[in-house]
Amino acid sequence: MCGIVGYIGKKQALPIIIEGIKRLEYRGYDSSGIAVINNDTELIIHKREGKIIDLERSIPNDKNFISHLGIAHTRWATHGQPTTTNAHPHTDCSGSIAVVHNGIIENYQVLRKSLEKRNHSFKSDTDTEVLAHLIEHFYQKTKNLHTSVRYSLRMVKGTFGITVISKDEPDKLIAARRGSPLIVGIGEGENFVASDATALVVHTKNVIYLQDNETVELTPNDFTIKTLADNEVEREISEIDWDISMVDKGEFDYFMLKEIFEQPTSIANAFRGRIMEQFNTSRLGGINPYIDKLKDIKQIYIIACGTSWHAALVGEYLLEDIAKIPVEVEYASEFRYRNPIINPDTLVIVISQSGETADTLAALREAKVRGAIVMGITNVIGSTIARETDFGSYIHAGAEIGVASTKAFTSQITVLFLFALLLGRMRNLSPSDGAKYIHELKTIPEKVQQILDCNEEIKRIAEQYKDVRNALYLGRGYNFPVALEGALKLKEISYIHAEGYPAAEMKHGPIALIDEDMPVLFIAPEDFVYDKILSNIEEVKARKGKIIAIANRDSGRIEKLVDHIIYIPRTIPSLTPILTVIPLQLLAYHVAVLRGCNVDQPRNLAKSVTVE
């Protein structure tokens, strides 16, 4: 997702919007730009391909520069190459109106041809530029910026989060959204807009979450929200429940490492206040209105993308094992385009760290059209998924800045575990088994810390494998999804090709790749398939593969079979994924850093994918 920041107020706008987009750098971008109204008369635009530092250097240090209104943008290219010309903001023919935009205008070619027939001239290859000219077209008739934006967006097919300013109305900032998040920050004598609360929290914790097809007109002291149909809307002001320290690296070199080390706390936060020991069960406050319907659920779909999809796979094991309910896990991008069988007794769970993932939102809406009860699991309060699901649970992981998700994954699994425990106790799980699950869950944060204490040991292993070109991750049962997640982390941030497989499937193809240059990572806790994993290790060893094992201490002969071993504490099988993934996160991190990669901003990736 690209980054948007806007400011209107008494202070100098330029440093505020530059600081804002710097706080959104982690989301990934290839160009950036700003537009400000100087002395209430002149629209000034600067934009550059590359990093924000390049943009800053291009802006003259003019002491006479006075601006109290500005917008800024970081772009992740969709239409057109990442060039300075294609960078946002984009302007109209007269150079009076500036627009920044997240999302995709699906009918931009039709709109562009229509505008060209009206003598509008285009400079870029982007879909966004159409918006500037379309707003200009209506402004010539209405002489009202807010009205012109609303008229323009009625003609648009696709998704947008936009901010608009005009030198002809230097006391207004207009913003609108459909499918791409925008948050309004309410200050004293100043107001803000941003695509992410990270850019706002240093200035204000009072925010309004715009909903789809809503626009807002901001002045320094007021705001007006309207629908595209011109109906005025009342919105509650919410309070951000975290502070700026959550978006500061502190003593760590990268946000990713900070977030890996935050997991003892984030996991505890995910279950804090949600355990009912007197009844040997869990409680998830958001589901109370639907508790009776959950008793009759006969089928569950879990829908997600990327790392959240891997958490969903763990959730499938948890719900079938503990609650005895059949579960199907679907990629959101596939679910939305097929014809799934959904009955009144079907529960659909959608998982998204940001709560704004485009494919997951589309799948959610399709499930609701088909009559399913829909539960959401997300990290972001006020996100679209939080608003549109019937009920749900926040994972309470705190702000996650690193593009490669870490603490959100383990927190998602924790919430899925709590939900499985709740359903299990409602159905067939005995009080003694419920007590065992709760006891083990409460030990997990300390056990995660024990693994984190082995960070330097894991770094030494990474030093030996930083130059490999391929890697294979193998696990079984609960740890097959962890193998997928470990491989994803390595390829995301180090650009080494890696694949995850069920260990037994290695013989059905991947074994052909194994030689002395191929590291193979086995997730091998001592569980009911431990002997099977040892047999798979023997097969790799016979082909001279380099073996790294994640295993429990004193697990028998595994130490003699592998080249490296990373020990993890013991726990019950259903909670092992939370422990086994930690060494894989650290290993991927250290390999990437040793290769000189920016792990917080891996190439071609964005933190939240809000386009299909």
Side-chain angles (χ1 to χ4, degrees):
M1 182 181 73
C2 308
I4 287 177
V5 178
Y7 173 81
I8 185 167
K10 295 177 284 189
K11 299 172 186 172
Q12 284 279 24
L14 184 59
I16 292 173
I17 61 177
I18 289 288
E19 175 205 42
I21 56 173
K22 281 183 176 179
R23 294 192 182 280
L24 301 182
E25 279 191 287
Y26 70 92
R27 291 190 166 270
Y29 69 103
D30 45 48
S31 60
S32 59
I34 60 98
V36 294
I37 307 295
N38 185 31
N39 290 309
D40 290 344
T41 59
E42 181 185 13
L43 177 63
I44 295 177
I45 290 179
H46 290 279
K47 51 187 185 177
R48 282 292 181 273
E49 177 185 353
K51 295 298 182 182
I52 293 172
I53 188 65
D54 301 317
L55 172 67
E56 282 189 284
R57 290 169 179 160
S58 75
I59 301 173
N61 186 13
D62 188 346
K63 294 181 180 179
N64 296 317
F65 186 86
I66 299 173
S67 177
H68 305 294
L69 170 64
I71 56 178
H73 189 265
T74 53
R75 177 179 186 250
W76 187 53
T78 55
H79 293 73
Q81 296 295 312
T83 63
T84 297
T85 301
N86 287 333
H88 299 208
H90 291 287
T91 59
D92 63 329
C93 291
S94 68
S96 300
I97 296 169
V99 176
V100 299
H101 166 232
N102 292 347
I104 291 179
I105 307 303
E106 295 173 2
N107 61 334
Y108 84 98
Q109 291 178 322
V110 173
L111 294 172
R112 180 167 175 156
K113 288 179 181 177
S114 174
L115 289 162
E116 285 174 335
K117 290 178 180 178
R118 292 177 168 85
N119 297 318
H120 286 262
S121 177
F122 290 81
K123 302 173 184 177
S124 76
D125 302 317
T126 69
D127 55 333
T128 299
E129 191 181 0
V130 164
L131 294 174
H133 291 275
L134 199 56
I135 293 167
E136 177 190 28
H137 168 73
F138 285 110
Y139 193 81
Q140 290 170 349
K141 301 176 182 179
T142 68
K143 301 303 179 184
N144 183 288
L145 188 61
H146 194 178
T147 302
S148 300
V149 170
R150 285 189 291 102
Y151 285 178
S152 299
L153 294 180
R154 290 179 195 174
M155 301 183 67
V156 165
K157 294 180 181 178
T159 59
F160 51 80
I162 68 166
T163 58
V164 186
I165 60 175
S166 171
K167 69 178 184 180
D168 296 325
E169 298 191 27
D171 58 344
K172 293 179 183 177
L173 190 159
I174 311 298
R177 71 155 283 177
R178 179 197 293 157
S180 190
L182 276 184
I183 304 168
V184 177
I186 307 301
E188 294 185 8
E190 59 185 2
N191 286 312
F192 309 80
V193 65
S195 54
D196 189 296
T198 305
L200 302 178
V201 70
V202 69
H203 301 289
T204 180
K205 288 193 173 185
N206 296 319
V207 297
I208 295 171
Y209 299 94
L210 283 188
Q211 297 189 16
D212 278 356
N213 297 311
E214 288 183 349
T215 65
V216 62
E217 178 182 301
L218 297 176
T219 65
N221 298 301
D222 203 2
F223 62 89
T224 303
I225 300 174
K226 290 186 174 183
T227 66
L228 295 185
D230 199 24
N231 298 314
E232 195 161 332
V233 176
E234 295 292 330
R235 279 274 168 266
E236 285 188 14
I237 297 177
S238 303
E239 185 174 352
I240 298 172
D241 64 350
W242 47 272
D243 58 38
I244 195 62
S245 65
M246 296 291 292
V247 291
D248 187 279
K249 290 195 286 284
E251 65 187 46
F252 296 94
D253 293 331
Y254 289 95
F255 281 111
M256 182 179 178
L257 187 62
K258 175 177 181 275
E259 288 156 10
I260 291 172
F261 272 79
E262 286 175 343
Q263 286 175 109
T265 299
S266 60
I267 292 165
N269 286 343
F271 68 74
R272 181 174 288 113
R274 290 172 162 175
I275 291 173
M276 300 176 68
E277 292 193 71
Q278 68 272 39
F279 300 113
N280 299 311
T281 188
S282 66
R283 61 180 174 194
L284 297 169
I287 76 171
N288 286 338
Y290 284 81
I291 200 76
D292 290 334
K293 289 187 177 182
L294 290 176
K295 293 176 182 177
D296 300 321
I297 290 298
K298 294 189 171 51
Q299 177 191 29
I300 296 175
Y301 282 101
I302 312 180
I303 299 169
C305 302
T307 287
S308 296
W309 186 77
H310 297 154
L313 290 174
V314 177
E316 178 180 16
Y317 285 94
L318 289 168
L319 287 160
E320 291 191 345
D321 186 16
I322 298 173
K324 309 302 181 188
I325 303 174
V327 178
E328 294 287 338
V329 176
E330 297 263 7
Y331 283 113
S333 55
E334 292 299 312
F335 181 89
R336 63 183 291 195
Y337 288 117
R338 69 184 197 84
N339 195 20
I341 299 171
I342 292 179
N343 300 308
D345 54 11
T346 298
L347 171 67
V348 172
I349 303 174
V350 294
I351 307 177
S352 166
Q353 188 281 140
S354 68
E356 303 290 351
T357 310
D359 285 316
T360 307
L361 277 168
L364 181 166
R365 290 160 181 162
E366 178 64 20
K368 294 195 78 170
V369 165
R370 292 170 176 266
I373 303 170
V374 183
M375 173 183 180
I377 296 177
T378 184
N379 193 33
V380 180
I381 294 172
S383 61
T384 305
I385 281 178
R387 293 196 309 269
E388 292 195 11
T389 46
D390 294 308
F391 63 91
S393 292
Y394 291 113
I395 63 174
H396 298 306
E400 188 179 65
I401 305 301
V403 167
S405 180
T406 52
K407 64 177 180 175
F409 176 73
T410 50
S411 294
Q412 287 167 350
I413 293 174
T414 303
V415 169
L416 286 163
F417 179 89
L418 291 170
F419 186 60
L421 175 61
L422 176 62
L423 291 185
R425 289 290 288 122
M426 288 167 58
R427 292 164 177 259
N428 62 321
L429 191 69
S430 70
S432 60
D433 284 340
K436 178 183 69 173
Y437 284 127
I438 288 171
H439 171 76
E440 286 297 325
L441 177 62
K442 290 169 69 176
T443 70
I444 291 298
E446 173 57 30
K447 290 175 179 178
V448 169
Q449 186 59 54
Q450 292 175 34
I451 301 169
L452 295 172
D453 291 341
C454 300
N455 181 44
E456 289 302 317
E457 176 187 340
I458 295 170
K459 181 179 179 181
R460 287 192 290 271
I461 296 172
E463 288 169 349
Q464 298 185 48
Y465 294 97
K466 66 181 178 64
D467 295 320
V468 301
R469 299 183 64 184
N470 302 281
L472 188 61
Y473 288 68
L474 301 174
R476 300 192 74 159
Y478 277 103
N479 287 297
F480 159 53
V482 177
L484 295 175
E485 176 62 11
L488 177 63
K489 285 293 153 285
L490 188 70
K491 72 179 86 172
E492 276 184 315
I493 62 173
S494 74
Y495 319 135
I496 294 172
H497 174 254
E499 296 298 333
Y501 269 85
E505 289 297 302
M506 173 189 65
K507 298 183 290 294
H508 298 279
I511 198 169
L513 301 173
I514 295 172
D515 57 22
E516 61 272 14
D517 297 320
M518 168 76 86
V520 182
L521 293 95
F522 277 95
I523 305 166
E526 197 169 359
D527 56 18
F528 66 98
V529 290
Y530 180 64
D531 288 337
K532 301 291 186 183
I533 285 279
L534 291 180
S535 297
N536 298 140
I537 291 174
E538 295 270 19
E539 291 167 333
V540 172
K541 188 175 179 67
R543 288 155 181 84
K544 300 181 180 180
K546 301 296 183 183
I547 302 171
I548 304 168
I550 313 297
N552 304 126
R553 198 174 295 276
D554 302 321
S555 293
R557 69 181 191 274
I558 191 170
E559 289 90 346
K560 299 177 182 178
L561 296 176
V562 304
D563 297 279
H564 311 276
I565 189 164
I566 302 170
Y567 291 108
I568 61 167
R570 297 175 187 271
T571 189
I572 56 177
S574 53
L575 288 171
T576 55
I578 298 178
L579 301 184
T580 54
V581 76
I582 306 296
L584 303 184
Q585 293 173 349
L586 286 169
L587 189 66
Y589 169 83
H590 287 300
V591 167
V593 171
L594 289 164
R595 288 168 64 89
C597 301
N598 184 339
V599 298
D600 286 342
Q601 299 175 40
R603 68 189 184 202
N604 302 332
L605 297 180
K607 179 64 179 172
S608 177
V609 182
T610 57
V611 295
E612 182 180 356

